[in-house]
Amino acid sequence: MRTVKAYAAPSATEPLVATTIQRREPGPHDVVIDIAYAGICHSDIHTVRGDWGPQHYPLTVGHEIAGTVTEIGSEVTRYQVGDLVGVGCMVNSCRECANCAAGQEQYCLNGNVGTYASVDRDGTITQGGYSTHVVVDEDFVLRIPESIPFEKVAPLLCAGITTYSPLRHWNVGPGMKVAVIGLGGLGHMGVKLAHAMGAEVTVLSQSLRKKDDGLAMGADHYYATSDSATFETLKNQFDVILNTVSAPLDVDAYVGLLTLDGTMVNVGAPPEPVSVHLFSIFTNRRSIAGSSIGGIAETQEMLDFCAEHGVAPETELISADQINEAWERVLASDVRFRFVIDIATLGQ
Ligand code: NAP
Ligand code: ZN
Ligand code: ZN
């Protein structure tokens, strides 16, 4: 085992602290990654705070990882020392079930191994990217295109793929009207990606505070959901609504904005269940759907798409000692639009 520097949550309620964690010695198929940047996802906060169930502490989170390969196992074929690589939300899966065979490892029928807070094959609890190094099987490592600014790329590994995958699945493209609810980490990537795919994009945000930012990202329209007139004005309009909000919403109100055969795809993951009046979806033969991150091949496709279309996240680079403050800002919807930790500052 190797001891590396990290930031970890001692419990569900205490601030994160600088500490050390253990990483395994690289096996034949592993690469060792020197982490340069780690994005802060709202899921990190949900997980640590116990929103989705009890956890083992201390816990290091972070599943938007960008770094450089510093060592490779004896049988690694896809990566070399010095390669720029990324790791997203999962680090393994069974590789045998029907969903893994279909390249949808995120839906592994035996449960994928999450980058943090998951039981790894050796029985230990996985620890995430708020740390200086990580050891990952090469099959779950992504290649980072050099044209995407390295200090901005990390959020693509979760926020990017989580919005790209449903937009692709529901065939978003020219001639389609897409609404994105919530202009945070996921939402701003949803806007940029849907715009790059050629759709007409509308942002549905709590207020008009971030309107100029949203329009600069490629949104065609921007509405405040605090204004009830918004729900009248936009009735029966959208082919796809992508809900990225971390809190429960009035689903009936949003579903009313879908056109014939329109779909509301939920990627936001509030702790509480939501309710829906089925008459809301009988109208216009609407669908309510969900989507979880994306497969490894699709994540590489997303990175390459972003490189080709010049899409990159809007980030605010912070030092490790600002993580707790950044978490409070995420909780207050005060993020523009993803915090990225400069891992070089960790443990200084
Ligand atoms: P985030 O940066 O905090 O963005 C969420 C946005 O939702 C906020 O910026 C805010 O946007 C809006 N919002 C927050 N609270 C709200 C409320 N009470 N009512 C209405 N709108 C509210 O979070 P994120 O990192 O993008 O993650 C969003 C959610 O997706 C989280 O629940 C996260 O766990 C989940 N997630 C799911 C997956 C998946 O695979 N399905 C993957 C990653 C993350 P405005 O200020 O514009 O209104
Ligand atoms: Zn995430
Ligand atoms: Zn599987």
Side-chain angles (χ1 to χ4, degrees):
M1 294 292 248
R2 302 171 176 202
T3 302
V4 305
K5 290 178 179 172
Y7 250 67
S11 72
T13 51
E14 290 167 276
L16 276 60
V17 292
T19 183
T20 57
I21 58 172
Q22 301 292 109
R23 296 295 193 193
R24 66 171 179 262
E25 287 298 324
H29 298 282
D30 284 335
V31 301
V32 181
I33 301 167
D34 186 342
I35 302 176
Y37 300 103
I40 293 180
C41 178
H42 205 121
S43 302
D44 302 347
I45 306 173
H46 284 306
T47 302
V48 162
R49 300 269 163 110
D51 287 352
W52 298 335
Q55 303 297 330
H56 296 270
Y57 300 94
L59 178 63
T60 293
V61 291
H63 58 203
E64 295 182 335
I65 298 170
T68 307
V69 175
T70 53
E71 279 177 63
I72 57 170
S74 56
E75 289 173 37
V76 166
T77 57
R78 296 166 54 195
Y79 295 101
Q80 294 182 343
V81 170
D83 285 351
L84 300 185
V85 292
V87 177
C89 303
M90 32 174 199
V91 289
N92 220 331
S93 71
C94 85
R95 301 154 189 249
E96 288 170 354
C97 71
N99 291 356
C100 283
Q104 306 281 342
E105 302 88 0
Q106 74 278 32
Y107 302 122
C108 175
L109 297 169
N110 296 304
N112 68 56
V113 179
T115 303
Y116 58 75
S118 254
V119 180
D120 210 344
R121 285 187 167 171
D122 61 6
T124 59
I125 302 294
T126 54
Q127 303 291 327
Y130 296 10
S131 67
T132 54
H133 298 81
V134 66
V135 181
V136 182
D137 186 296
E138 67 166 333
D139 291 343
F140 285 77
V141 173
L142 287 309
R143 186 172 298 283
I144 291 180
E146 285 188 6
S147 65
I148 305 175
F150 194 39
E151 72 283 1
K152 286 185 175 288
V153 77
L156 295 180
L157 279 309
C158 174
I161 184 59
T162 302
T163 49
Y164 181 88
S165 183
L167 293 173
R168 276 284 186 241
H169 182 76
W170 275 277
N171 299 313
V172 163
M176 286 181 79
K177 289 187 176 183
V178 174
V180 177
I181 317 175
L183 197 67
L186 265 58
H188 95 287
M189 285 313 308
V191 170
K192 289 189 175 214
L193 290 166
H195 173 70
M197 291 172 189
E200 183 178 333
V201 183
T202 299
V203 176
L204 302 173
S205 181
Q206 292 167 95
S207 71
L208 297 179
R209 204 164 41 98
K210 296 176 280 191
K211 182 174 178 181
D212 291 345
D213 303 280
L215 297 180
M217 288 170 203
D220 301 283
H221 317 282
Y222 202 106
Y223 288 86
T225 54
S226 53
D227 181 354
S228 57
T230 292
F231 292 89
E232 259 319 296
T233 311
L234 299 178
K235 219 161 55 178
N236 302 325
Q237 292 243 340
F238 299 107
D239 299 290
V240 173
I241 299 177
L242 184 63
N243 174 19
T244 73
V245 173
S246 47
L249 292 179
D250 178 355
V251 176
D252 294 309
Y254 288 92
V255 158
L257 310 185
L258 291 171
T259 186
L260 182 67
D261 291 327
T263 302
M264 176 174 175
V265 191
N266 295 278
V267 292
E272 306 85 359
V274 296
S275 73
V276 59
H277 199 297
L278 290 177
F279 280 91
S280 315
I281 56 173
F282 295 167
T283 307
N284 276 345
R285 196 165 52 196
R286 295 160 171 151
S287 301
I288 298 175
S291 184
S292 181
I293 51 173
I296 292 297
E298 192 176 38
T299 305
Q300 189 64 58
E301 177 189 308
M302 176 275 307
L303 287 165
D304 297 341
F305 176 93
C306 287
E308 188 186 335
H309 293 266
V311 173
E314 300 297 318
T315 57
E316 188 172 333
L317 194 63
I318 61 165
S319 56
D321 60 5
Q322 295 175 296
I323 295 173
N324 290 302
E325 186 190 326
W327 277 28
E328 292 308 320
R329 285 183 53 195
V330 171
L331 288 167
S333 299
D334 178 22
V335 49
R336 287 172 188 254
F337 282 83
R338 199 57 143 183
F339 289 108
V340 171
I341 306 161
D342 180 356
I343 295 296
T345 64
L346 206 157
Q348 274 178 354

